[in-house]
Amino acid sequence: MPPLEYRRTIYESCATSGFFGRVARNPDDHDTHTLNIIQSNMSHLDSISGERLWTELKKIASGRFAGPVLTMMMQLGMAQHLGFPPNPDVAELGKVYERAEGMKPKAMTLIASLLRSLEEVFVLDKRLKVSTDDRKLCIFIITHREDDAMKKPDDDVRLSRALDLVLDTYCKEHQAHIVDRAKELLKYAGAEKALSIFEKSALPRFPLTGGVLLKCGVPKSKVMSRVYDDLRRMWIGSRYTMSEDELFSHIDEVKAKYVKT
């Protein structure tokens, strides 16, 4: 057992890592003695609350040298103690950090790169008790990072996909949250040009409203929601070019799918 002054909890170890990221001149400027002490005291992690750990981990993942510091933490063996899988995807973390660093990704955007599945997200959340917004961001990135459009080097294609994701889901959640997640997805993909355009562009506005549907005899129930969603997806499929009149002409056709006569 090391002397009292060297008995560090994982919480203190995380804080030390965050401090390193703020003061080090380069990402390889580690003190071997300190790393050995941290590694030999990993067992203290289990007595530290997830909330405290997440506070420090979030600072590290959004600070200087975030990628190298997170990689070092995983290599030291912190992964299983922090709720990560035994073999976090440090290779993916390195790629994402390299292509997204200049765009200032959020902490969870980098952390998502260490996870391979939604199941791993839920295990991490169970341990760290992350916020609802952070959890949903992680789920959003892991769900859509493998989209064909996001894997293509064409920024126009990636921008179009980001718009589709926002416009296809914004009615189900606060629009600002979806826009924010789409921005982080573009950062994850390294789509800097697409991100710049996305941030400066006004979102296309869906021409129809619930009031119009009511006037057309669509009942105010789940049926209206389904009709609205179908028409909105039709509009998205047109690349946002269908006019109100064009959409109006399809209301009866779509309504007939859900209303028994």
Side-chain angles (χ1 to χ4, degrees):
M1 188 71 174
L4 181 61
E5 61 268 24
Y6 293 123
R7 295 179 192 172
R8 299 182 183 275
T9 61
I10 284 296
Y11 176 76
E12 291 167 328
S13 299
C14 286
T16 298
S17 299
F19 179 73
F20 161 80
R22 293 191 293 272
V23 302
R25 294 183 178 180
N26 65 75
D28 299 315
D29 191 15
H30 303 300
D31 178 74
T32 303
H33 180 59
T34 300
L35 295 184
N36 288 338
I37 293 171
I38 292 173
Q39 193 168 32
S40 64
N41 285 274
M42 292 283 177
S43 59
H44 291 289
L45 169 66
D46 297 331
S47 63
I48 308 301
S49 73
E51 291 87 349
R52 291 181 72 193
L53 290 171
W54 175 236
T55 296
E56 290 303 323
L57 186 60
K58 196 169 184 178
K59 290 177 185 177
I60 292 167
S62 57
R64 290 182 70 215
F65 306 136
V69 173
L70 286 171
T71 298
M72 178 266 293
M73 291 170 66
M74 299 301 109
Q75 291 172 341
L76 284 175
M78 287 189 187
Q80 58 182 328
H81 299 295
L82 295 172
F84 289 96
N87 59 335
D89 199 344
V90 292
E92 177 72 358
L93 168 63
K95 294 174 186 176
V96 173
Y97 178 70
E98 182 177 356
R99 64 188 180 226
E101 182 184 10
M103 292 178 272
K104 298 181 179 179
K106 289 190 172 184
M108 189 53 89
T109 302
L110 286 185
I111 288 171
S113 68
L114 289 164
L115 307 174
R116 294 181 174 86
S117 68
L118 293 180
E119 289 76 15
E120 291 181 351
V121 177
F122 302 135
V123 172
L124 183 77
D125 181 40
K126 185 177 181 180
R127 176 65 185 99
L128 297 180
K129 306 294 191 298
V130 305
S131 70
T132 299
D133 285 344
D134 283 323
R135 182 179 66 255
K136 287 185 176 181
L137 171 59
C138 193
I139 290 171
F140 185 87
I141 288 174
I142 289 177
T143 299
H144 297 294
R145 65 186 175 187
E146 296 299 321
D147 290 356
D148 288 341
M150 284 299 156
K151 297 175 74 173
K152 292 180 179 178
D154 189 326
D155 274 306
D156 289 337
V157 173
R158 292 188 285 193
L159 174 61
S160 179
R161 179 56 178 158
L163 284 170
D164 285 354
L165 289 171
V166 171
L167 294 168
D168 192 41
T169 58
Y170 82 92
C171 284
K172 300 169 186 175
E173 278 196 73
H174 194 286
Q175 185 173 349
H177 292 162
I178 305 300
V179 169
D180 185 61
R181 290 169 203 160
K183 289 179 183 178
E184 293 303 307
L185 181 64
L186 289 172
K187 293 175 188 179
Y188 190 102
E192 189 168 8
K193 180 182 175 182
L195 175 66
S196 178
I197 296 172
F198 185 79
E199 290 178 326
K200 296 174 184 176
S201 302
L203 291 173
R205 186 183 66 82
F206 183 55
L208 291 182
T209 64
V212 172
L213 298 183
L214 278 174
K215 291 178 180 178
C216 291
V218 179
K220 194 174 182 180
S221 62
K222 289 183 179 180
V223 171
M224 177 174 287
S225 177
R226 290 168 180 165
V227 171
Y228 188 89
D229 283 347
D230 281 7
L231 290 168
R232 186 158 46 84
R233 290 194 179 98
M234 193 180 295
W235 170 70
I236 290 172
S238 76
R239 306 316 305 155
Y240 330 117
T241 60
M242 289 184 73
S243 67
E244 181 177 0
D245 288 342
E246 288 173 314
L247 288 165
F248 189 88
S249 68
H250 289 280
I251 291 177
D252 288 340
E253 167 195 340
V254 175
K255 182 179 68 173
K257 291 167 55 179
Y258 304 108
V259 178
K260 295 181 181 180
T261 56

